[in-house]
Amino acid sequence: METSEVTGALIITGASRGIGAATARLAATQGYRICVNYLNDAAAAEAVVTDIENNGGQAIAVQADTSRSSEIDKLFRAVDTELGTLAGLVNNVGILGPQCRVDQLDEERLHRILTTNVAGYFLCAKQAVLRMSTAHGGRGGAIVNVSSAASRLGSPGEYVDYAASKGAVDTFTRGLALEVAAEGIRVNAVRPGFIYTDIHASGGDPQRVARLAAGLPMRRGGQPQEVAQAIVWLLSERASYVTGSFIDLAGGR
């Protein structure tokens, strides 16, 4: 597969599977030099890199825990050294715990989810802004945050803590977009829902999408590739006048 003119380096957090992996593969066809960030599954991350390289693209896999600032620093330094000028960031990492009510939550779970899903997004965006903002000598770029339809729906009886973390991502997206709009950086978000990914298994309900699909307006769950299309569009110059905006991908829900 031929790629278009190289547009710069793109970091995608949590890119070894699901939406992140689909975005990495698609963005590579648009000429981005891809950093496939992962936490534990090196083999899956390297498989994404191999797919990209086999299709004529350039990619590296970098292990880093994006809930820790020191690991985030390491991630961005690796991209500086191996891929060059940063053009974009996709904040994609997201975790949840087993389905439960708020009155069953514990402190450790709340800290873990909010640190990964919220603080990690802030800290990765900080490093991206320091590199891309014209106020810091950068050439501009784009940030896409992966939120969730849960931020609108609340996920009662299942993942209210996860939904709240994504609500924070929505507010962060809007605030950062306004903060850096005059510095050559666009910041937008996608809000997927009911997508066939492995995250549902970590919540103890691997068949959740199939179970709920018939109740959705479109009567089906979504695929990671459908979310990736929206993310890559928001990164691209085709969305050059779009910032502080949200694309909902939840089958009409």
Side-chain angles (χ1 to χ4, degrees):
M1 179 182 298
E2 294 183 0
T3 60
S4 60
E5 183 180 352
V6 170
T7 53
L10 174 64
I11 296 174
I12 306 171
T13 65
S16 64
R17 64 178 187 172
I19 292 169
T23 303
R25 292 184 175 100
L26 181 60
T29 70
Q30 305 304 303
Y32 288 98
R33 302 186 295 273
I34 306 296
C35 172
V36 177
N37 162 249
Y38 69 97
L39 180 59
N40 294 315
D41 196 341
E46 290 294 345
V48 176
V49 169
T50 298
D51 286 346
I52 290 170
E53 292 177 339
N54 286 344
N55 283 283
Q58 182 179 354
I60 60 172
V62 179
Q63 191 279 334
D65 181 350
T66 58
S67 71
R68 301 175 58 192
S69 61
S70 61
E71 295 278 297
I72 292 169
D73 291 346
K74 179 188 77 173
L75 168 64
F76 278 79
R77 287 196 305 269
V79 171
D80 292 339
T81 300
E82 299 186 48
L83 296 181
T85 302
L86 187 68
L89 165 69
V90 179
N91 269 322
N92 171 69
V93 164
I95 62 170
L96 48 72
Q99 293 176 346
C100 70
R101 289 166 44 98
V102 170
D103 54 16
Q104 298 171 308
L105 292 172
D106 59 42
E107 181 181 10
E108 188 280 330
R109 169 171 163 155
L110 284 171
H111 278 297
R112 183 170 58 89
I113 287 174
L114 293 175
T115 299
T116 298
N117 294 3
V118 182
Y121 278 39
F122 270 81
L123 294 172
C124 284
K126 171 187 174 179
Q127 292 299 325
V129 169
L130 287 171
R131 288 160 172 80
M132 298 191 302
S133 168
T134 56
H136 294 289
R139 302 190 308 192
I143 296 172
V144 178
N145 294 321
V146 178
S147 179
S148 171
S151 71
R152 299 182 289 105
L153 301 174
S155 297
E158 295 182 317
Y159 316 113
V160 173
D161 51 349
Y162 174 81
S165 75
K166 293 304 186 177
V169 169
D170 287 357
T171 302
F172 169 54
T173 298
R174 183 64 180 159
L176 181 61
L178 296 174
E179 191 167 278
V180 299
E183 300 172 15
I185 301 175
R186 296 181 300 101
V187 185
N188 294 288
V190 295
R191 289 191 288 222
F194 315 103
I195 308 298
Y196 286 102
T197 71
D198 292 342
I199 195 171
H200 304 289
S202 62
D205 190 1
Q207 302 304 314
R208 181 172 183 266
V209 175
R211 176 170 55 82
L212 298 174
L216 300 175
M218 291 184 72
R219 302 292 192 270
R220 68 173 181 87
Q223 296 296 329
Q225 293 82 358
E226 294 176 292
V227 182
Q229 292 281 355
I231 293 171
V232 172
W233 180 77
L234 287 170
L235 290 169
S236 76
E237 284 302 307
R238 293 184 293 277
S240 59
Y241 202 52
V242 181
T243 198
S245 295
F246 301 84
I247 296 178
D248 289 299
L249 301 109
R253 180 80 176 271

